[in-house]
Amino acid sequence: MLGWALTFLIVALLAGVLGFVAVAGIAATIAKVLFVVFLVLFVASLLFGRRAPIA
């Protein structure tokens, strides 16, 4: 998930440098959304990922 966010961030930066404003905006938005989803899943896995075995 983080890899996809970084990929879209790089696409947004390259598109912005080359002047494709619409593509850069869309790619940046996708990168932001994927990064937030990654952070939420990461925090959830930290909180609920390890449970003591039920013996």
Side-chain angles (χ1 to χ4, degrees):
M1 183 84 55
L2 186 59
W4 282 106
L6 291 175
T7 302
F8 279 107
L9 177 64
I10 291 170
V11 168
L13 291 174
L14 288 175
V17 168
L18 295 176
F20 299 109
V21 179
V23 175
I26 292 169
T29 302
I30 292 171
K32 288 177 190 176
V33 168
L34 287 176
F35 187 71
V36 169
V37 169
F38 169 77
L39 284 179
V40 168
L41 291 175
F42 177 69
V43 170
S45 69
L46 285 178
L47 294 176
F48 302 113
R50 296 198 179 245
R51 296 191 180 248
I54 301 173

